[in-house]
Amino acid sequence: MENYFWNTEETQSVKKLYVLIIYDIVDNKKRLAFSKKLNGYGFRVQKSAFEAMITESLYRKLIDEIPAMIDKELDSVRVYKIRGSGEVNLFGISNTITDEEVIIL
C-alpha cells in the first residue's frame, strides 16, 4: 500500500485545488483527444482517471472546455474539486506520484 497527502491550504503565493477527473467516453477518437487535453492539466492515475493540482483559473478553464469535447447524450465526465487537506490510499499497481508544477503550452 502506498499513501500520499496534499494540502491546498498551505501558505503559497497561489492557492491550488486538488482535482480528480473521471470519465467514460464512448468514441475512441474523442476519448483520446480528451485524455491528451487532461495530460496538460495533470497526470493519469488509471485508464479513465486523472489527478491534478491546479489553480482556480485553470480549473475554470477546464470546466469550460469539457462540454465541447464530449457527446452529452452518450458520455460521462465527473470532476471532483477538493480543497484543504486530504489523503489518497493506493492499493495494487500504481505509478509513483510526485508533486510537480504542470505547465500548459
Side-chain angles (χ1 to χ4, degrees):
M1 184 172 96
E2 179 183 346
N3 297 357
Y4 63 96
F5 304 86
W6 74 88
N7 185 353
T8 60
E9 299 297 320
E10 291 176 355
T11 52
Q12 302 173 10
S13 59
V14 178
K15 290 198 176 202
K16 294 192 176 182
L17 305 169
Y18 176 80
V19 181
L20 175 62
I21 305 108
I22 301 171
Y23 59 93
D24 185 9
I25 298 176
V26 176
D27 183 79
N28 288 335
K29 190 174 179 181
K30 285 185 178 186
R31 186 172 52 250
L32 180 60
F34 192 78
S35 68
K36 285 183 178 181
K37 175 63 83 173
L38 292 181
N39 272 327
Y41 287 92
F43 50 92
R44 182 187 300 268
V45 293
Q46 291 187 2
K47 290 188 182 200
S48 295
F50 278 77
E51 293 178 4
M53 186 75 79
I54 56 178
T55 63
E56 184 77 35
S57 61
L58 280 178
Y59 170 77
R60 289 188 208 299
K61 182 180 178 207
L62 173 64
I63 295 300
D64 290 343
E65 291 175 339
I66 289 174
M69 299 185 72
I70 67 167
D71 181 331
K72 294 172 191 72
E73 300 296 318
L74 300 173
D75 302 331
S76 172
V77 177
R78 291 177 174 256
V79 180
Y80 297 89
K81 177 172 72 170
I82 305 166
R83 296 181 190 259
S85 297
E87 175 183 354
V88 175
N89 296 298
L90 307 172
F91 302 91
I93 299 170
S94 63
N95 296 333
T96 303
I97 307 297
T98 57
D99 187 17
E100 59 184 47
E101 191 69 27
V102 176
I103 300 172
I104 298 174
L105 301 174

